[in-house]
Each structure stands twice: as C-alpha cells, then as structure tokens.
Amino acid sequence: MRFDRLGNSELVECDKSAIIKRVSIPPRDLRILGPVFSNSSNILAREKAMVVNLEFIRAIVTAEEVLILDPLCQEVLPFVDQLRQQLPHKTAVNIQQVSRNAGIHASTGGQWLPVPEAAEGLQCELPFEFHVLEIALEVVCTYLDSNVADLERDAYPVLDELARNVSTKNLEHVRSLKSNLTRLLARVQKVRDEIEHLLDDNEDMADLYLTRKWIQNQQSEALVGSAASNSITLATPHLPRLGSNRSASMVTGSVLDDDDDVEDLEMLLEAYFMQLDGTRNKILSVREYIDDTEDYVNIQLDNQRNELIQLQLVLTIASFAIAVDTLIAGMFGMNIPCQLYHIHGIFGYFVGSSSTGCLFLFLLVLGYARWKKLLGS
C-alpha cells in the first residue's frame, strides 16, 4: 500500500527490482523486511529512504511517500487507519509551507531564499517521514502496552492461586505465563534497543531527515542550473556573475550546518523510549512478582518437607520404642526354662511394666530430640 503526503492511498503490486529503483535502497534491505527477520526491529537510514521494521510494521518511507508491506494484515490495519486519519491533517499545511519557502524561487525578483527562512516550514511541523515514524512507534507501543496489560491481568490471579494451592495445574499455568513474559520482554527490548541505538548516534539521526536532504538536493540542483544559465547569458566582462556561485556555496554551507540539528527527532525518539522503558518496567515488575511467588512457594514446600522429616523422626523414635518392647516379648516367647512362667497372674504386670518402660524410653528420646532442636516446639 502506498501513501503520499496528503494521505491518499492505493494498493500496488511491485516486484523487488521495481521497489529498489523506486526508493533507491540496496537489495539487502528488502531481505530485512522479509519473513526471516520478521521478529527483529530496525530503523535504517538510506540516501533517499528510511527502512522501518518494527514488530509487525514493515515499511519504506521516503520524503514523498510511504510503502507498506502486508497492509491488510490484522495487526497492520491500525497503522493504516492512523495514517489515513492523521496524515492529511498534519502534512497539508506543512507541504504548503515547504513548497512556498523551500521552492527554489521566492518572488518575481528571482532571488533565492536563505536557508533559515526556507527551513521555517520544517521547524514548526515535523517532516513527513517523522510523522510516519511517529505513527508507527505509537501503534507499536500501544500494541505492546495492551499485551502487557493482558499479561498483568492474567498473571496476578494465576500467581495468587499458586500461592494458595501448589498443584500441577497451577504450576503449568505459571510456566506458560513465564514463557509469554519472556517473549514479550524480548520484543519490547528489541524496539527499545533500536531506539536507544539511534539516540546514541547523531549521524544516524541526521540521516533520517529525508525531507531536509530532499530540499538540499532541490536547492543545489536549482542553484547550479541558475549559475550555469547566468554564465551563458551574461557575456559582458563588466558583470561577471560570480555572486551566484558564491551564493550557492553559502546556501549549501548553511544547509550543511543544519545537518547536526536533530533535536526534533531526538525528542520524538526519547518520548517513545521512555514509554517503552515504562512498558519494560511493567514486565519486570510482573517477573519480580513471579520470582517472589516462586520463592514463597519454595518456602512452603521446604516447610512441608521439614514437617515430613520431623514426622519421620517421631515415627522412627516410636518404632525404636516398640522394637524394644517387641524384643522383650520375643525373648520371653522362646521355649526356655524360666521361673516367671510358674507365677500366677504375672503376665499382666510384666506386659504393663515393659510397655510403660518403652513409653518412657520413647518420651526420653523425643525430649532429647527436642532439646537438640531436631523437632519443632
């Protein structure tokens, strides 16, 4: 889909060679826009175009138009709608100012406008390519924010349920949640890193000023043509038109002085960098909540494990006491002569006293374990 400065759109079908000739980009940039690099984020500056590959938005922006790949995709439709709504309102006045101020003639006198006056139309409004970039960043940031909001809405109930009840089902939900969080964090990080890379390099930001470079080229061509026509038509030696060449060099020099002025783009990128940084912080807060919940669950499991160990120790002590009682019973159950066998009614007293002794032995060992803090209070 092709959009021009006025927001007019049309669906076109072009092969790679036609796109390369139309926007003057190397073939490798089309590979970046291909499906292999669909999950990457790149904002590349070329001589006459800007290659934008942000999440699902893949576009080629020039000073006069923008070409969008896969415009009918469900995720790209909000970007297309925003272009239709915002481009006619934001660029109509700017185009008139640029065509009036930066056109290469100012009045009937045939004098060229100084560059600061010609650039006034660009200072009051962002250039066309930055409008497109702003809309793309806005759509991408809104999409990522909505995904983070959905993640937060689903994460906290699942984590709270896991804290209340540690089960296989809840653990599987948390595992799926962590996978989605990791993927979403990587996507946000890619866009954030690309914007940070641009902010760290003023030359790359200056190369993104396509409208300014387009005006410079138009002015240079017109000034060179004017100087050539003056040198041909004016043949008298008393009026050498060297001032035209000098004015051309002065204009070109003053234009080049403005190449380092990237304040508008820097402010635009910083705004969305802060928004993406906030989105990233939201994801990190969810991940911290997941880590805290996992720590709490691990503490619960450790506590239950300790309780099981204590129960096992109590049962071991009880088994030891019962084994002693069984040993005594087994010794007297052997077929050996013993005077106690002939005493009438001694069975109850003997069993009671041995069981009482084993119970005392159990309490003694249990008290020793508590004294050594092997068991809880």
Side-chain angles (χ1 to χ4, degrees), residues 97-106 112-113 118 215 218-219 222:
Q97 293 174 348
V98 172
S99 60
R100 183 174 64 251
N101 294 336
I104 317 276
H105 259 274
W112 304 102
L113 278 177
I215 293 175
Q218 294 292 328
Q219 288 178 339

Side-chain angles (χ1 to χ4, degrees), residues 20 26 42 63 87 96 99 101 116 139 150 168 176 191 203 206 211 213 225-226 231 273 285 309 360 372 377:
I20 292 172
N42 303 100
L87 280 184
Q96 294 176 1
S99 60
N101 294 336
V139 172
D150 295 339
T168 305
S176 176
V191 182
E203 293 183 0
T211 301
K213 291 191 293 185
S226 175
S231 62
F273 177 79
S285 65
I309 293 174
F360 177 76
K372 290 293 185 180
S377 59

Side-chain angles (χ1 to χ4, degrees), residues 140-203:
V140 170
C141 290
T142 303
Y143 176 77
L144 294 176
D145 282 337
S146 64
N147 286 344
V148 172
D150 295 339
L151 180 68
E152 289 180 331
R153 185 176 61 251
D154 297 337
Y156 293 114
V158 171
L159 295 173
D160 293 340
E161 180 64 24
L162 178 64
R164 289 190 297 266
N165 180 21
V166 181
S167 62
T168 305
K169 181 180 179 181
N170 291 335
L171 289 174
E172 180 63 26
H173 288 165
V174 174
R175 186 197 64 81
S176 176
L177 177 66
K178 289 185 68 175
S179 300
N180 295 334
L181 184 143
T182 303
R183 288 194 295 267
L184 185 57
L185 179 61
R187 294 167 62 183
V188 173
Q189 190 69 38
K190 288 178 182 178
V191 182
R192 179 181 177 274
D193 291 344
E194 181 62 23
I195 295 179
E196 185 178 12
H197 172 71
L198 286 176
L199 289 173
D200 292 338
D201 195 337
N202 288 338
E203 293 183 0

Side-chain angles (χ1 to χ4, degrees), residues 290-348:
I290 292 177
D291 294 338
D292 294 340
T293 304
E294 289 181 344
D295 293 339
Y296 176 73
V297 169
N298 289 330
I299 292 173
Q300 280 187 327
L301 294 177
D302 291 340
N303 184 43
Q304 293 178 358
R305 192 178 299 109
N306 292 335
E307 290 179 354
L308 289 176
I309 293 174
Q310 292 178 4
L311 178 61
Q312 183 181 4
L313 180 59
V314 172
L315 294 178
T316 302
I317 296 173
S319 300
F320 171 72
I322 294 174
V324 172
D325 196 12
T326 304
L327 175 63
I328 296 174
M331 290 175 59
F332 283 93
M334 298 178 66
N335 190 14
I336 56 175
C338 183
Q339 296 297 329
L340 295 177
Y341 292 156
H342 303 288
I343 300 175
H344 180 71
I346 197 175
F347 176 78

